[in-house]
Amino acid sequence: MAVPIAVLDCDLLLYGRGHRTLDRFKLEDVTDEYLVSTYGFPRQFIYYLVDLLGDSLSRPTQRSRAISPETQILAALGFYTSGSFQTRMGDAIGISQASMSRCVANVTEALVERASQFIHFPEDEATVQSLKDDFYGLAGMPGVLGVVDCTHVAIKAPNAEDLSYVNRKGLHSLNCLMVCDARGVLLSAETHWPGSLPDCTVLQQAALTSQFETELHKDGWLLGDSSFFLRTWLMTPLHIPETPAEYRYNMAHSATHNVIERTFRTIRSRFRCLDGSKGTLQYSPEKSSHIILACCVLHNISLEHGLDVWSSPATGHMEQLEEEYEQMESMDSEACRIRQELLLTHFS
C-alpha cells in the first residue's frame, strides 16, 4: 500500500516553531562583484544596512523573524535594483518568492521609519551656508537651498478604480515631489501624490510649502521650473526674458535646476523597480509610495557612502511628464520684488 506523502507547511519550514534564524546565504562567501551585480551594492554597504535595520527586522511580532536581517535585506535590495522577484534571486539566498515579497515589505517599512533621519534640510548655519556655496559653484545662482521638481512613477491600477491616479498620458502613477542639494542628496521627498495632480497643485498641497511658509526661510530659496508659481521662497525662471540680466538669470537657473533631473535619472538607474522597464509597481498606491520612499532613503545612504552613480547611463521608460500649463507670472508682489532684486544684484 502506497504511503501518502505529507504536504509540508512551507512557512513551518521557513520560520519553524522555535523562530530559529535561518542563515542560508553568507556574504563572506561571495565576491563584491557578485553582490553589486546581483543586489546592486557592495558588501560594506550591506553590512551597514544590517546594523541599521537589524533590530527592526528581528521584531518578535513579525512572522519573518526566522529569516535573518541579512537575508531580508538582500531580498529587498534584489527587488529594488532589479524590479522583479526572479526565482534565481530567491534561490540564491534560499527563500521562496512569497518570502521574498514579505522581506521587501519588512525592509521597506524599516527604511520608511528612518526617512526623516536621512532625508531632511540642514539646520545649522554652517551646513546651510555650505549648501548655498555648493549651488553657487554650479552656475553662480546665489541663496539656493535646494532645487525642486516632480517625477512620476508608474503603479498598477488600484483595485477600486480611482481616476485620481491616471496621469496626463493615461497611465496610473504617483507624482513624487522632491528637493535635492547640489550633489543630488534628497532634502525632501513626498511620494504619495496621485498622478492626476499637476506639479503646481502637488506643491500647493505639500508639506514642503507649509514648512517654508511657516518657518520663513528668509535667508534663501528653492529653485523650481515654470510648472510652479513664483513665491518668496521659490524662484522660477522668467517666461519671456528680455534684458541681458534676465537671460543670464534664466541660464543660471536652468543649469542649477538641472541637478534634480540628474538625480531623478540616478534614482531610476539604480532602482530599476521605479524605472518602468519591468512594468509598473504591482502594489497599492500606499505601498508603492513606501517603496519609492525607501529607495529615496537608500539613495541618500548610498551617497553618504560615496556610491555615486551619476556617471551611469540613464535607463527606463518612465519619463518626466511635461506639464501643460498657462505660463503666468505670480501675483505675489513680494516674490516679484525679491526676484527683481536678485536680477539687479547678481545678474546685471
Side-chain angles (χ1 to χ4, degrees), residues 10 66 228:
C10 293
F228 302 117

Side-chain angles (χ1 to χ4, degrees), residues 14-266:
L14 284 173
Y15 305 117
R17 291 192 175 87
H19 290 292
R20 292 187 301 273
T21 297
L22 301 181
D23 293 313
R24 304 174 180 81
F25 182 92
K26 297 291 186 182
L27 283 175
E28 57 268 24
D29 292 340
V30 296
T31 65
D32 255 7
E33 289 75 14
Y34 172 81
L35 291 172
V36 171
S37 64
T38 307
Y39 304 103
F41 294 94
R43 187 186 326 275
Q44 290 306 315
F45 184 87
I46 297 170
Y47 281 143
Y48 173 82
L49 292 181
V50 172
D51 289 340
L52 178 70
L53 308 178
D55 289 344
S56 296
L57 299 177
S58 300
R59 290 170 181 163
T61 55
Q62 290 183 330
R63 292 182 66 202
S64 59
R65 181 185 179 196
I67 300 180
S68 69
E70 180 179 291
T71 299
Q72 292 184 64
I73 288 167
L74 288 172
L77 292 179
F79 169 71
Y80 297 148
T81 58
S82 73
S84 66
F85 292 114
Q86 297 175 2
T87 302
R88 65 175 180 81
M89 189 171 296
D91 289 344
I93 54 179
I95 62 175
S96 67
Q97 181 173 319
S99 295
M100 284 269 298
S101 181
R102 285 191 292 270
C103 291
V104 170
N106 292 342
V107 174
T108 296
E109 179 183 350
L111 287 168
V112 167
E113 288 175 353
R114 291 161 176 79
S116 61
Q117 176 183 344
F118 293 99
I119 303 176
H120 56 82
F121 284 91
E123 296 181 355
D124 63 282
E125 291 185 9
T127 307
V128 170
Q129 187 58 51
S130 177
L131 187 67
K132 294 179 186 177
D133 292 344
D134 289 344
F135 274 119
Y136 187 80
L138 294 179
M141 180 69 76
V144 181
L145 299 171
V147 289
V148 59
D149 207 348
C150 289
T151 188
H152 285 254
V153 176
I155 63 172
K156 74 171 184 177
N159 291 331
E161 182 55 33
D162 188 344
L163 295 180
S164 68
Y165 290 96
V166 179
N167 63 37
R168 191 172 55 79
K169 290 191 173 182
L171 304 173
H172 289 83
S173 69
L174 291 170
N175 195 4
C176 305
L177 178 73
M178 301 187 193
V179 180
C180 74
D181 70 9
R183 294 195 305 120
V185 174
L186 295 174
L187 306 175
S188 177
E190 299 185 33
T191 60
H192 63 282
W193 297 103
S196 67
L197 293 181
D199 294 359
C200 60
T201 303
V202 169
L203 181 62
Q204 182 179 359
Q205 299 178 8
L208 178 70
T209 293
S210 177
Q211 177 183 359
F212 269 77
E213 291 187 345
T214 57
E215 296 182 9
L216 298 176
H217 291 264
K218 294 180 179 179
D219 56 347
W221 40 73
L222 302 179
L223 294 188
D225 63 21
S226 296
S227 61
F228 302 117
F229 286 107
L230 180 71
R231 299 170 185 257
T232 56
W233 49 268
L234 177 66
M235 294 293 102
T236 60
L238 290 128
H239 176 35
I240 304 176
E242 297 177 348
T243 67
E246 290 175 346
Y247 276 103
R248 285 192 288 270
Y249 167 86
N250 271 13
M251 289 179 63
H253 188 291
S254 177
T256 307
H257 188 265
N258 186 54
V259 173
I260 191 73
E261 303 297 337
R262 294 175 64 193
T263 300
F264 289 155
R265 290 196 297 271
T266 295

Side-chain angles (χ1 to χ4, degrees), residues 259-330:
V259 173
I260 191 73
E261 303 297 337
R262 294 175 64 193
T263 300
F264 289 155
R265 290 196 297 271
T266 295
I267 292 172
R268 286 195 294 268
S269 175
R270 171 163 272 156
F271 303 107
R272 302 293 297 276
C273 69
L274 307 181
D275 76 356
S277 64
K278 300 292 185 180
T280 63
L281 283 174
Q282 296 298 301
Y283 297 92
S284 68
E286 181 181 6
K287 289 184 178 179
S288 295
S289 169
H290 286 179
I291 287 173
I292 300 166
L293 185 55
C295 290
C296 290
V297 173
L298 287 172
H299 166 77
N300 275 11
I301 297 175
S302 68
L303 290 180
E304 281 188 9
H305 284 72
L307 303 177
D308 190 339
V309 295
W310 270 11
S311 58
S312 301
T315 60
H317 309 287
M318 197 59 195
E319 348 176 300
Q320 290 296 101
L321 291 177
E322 294 296 328
E323 287 289 330
E324 290 183 345
Y325 51 84
E326 181 182 357
Q327 289 274 6
M328 295 177 63
E329 287 300 319
S330 172

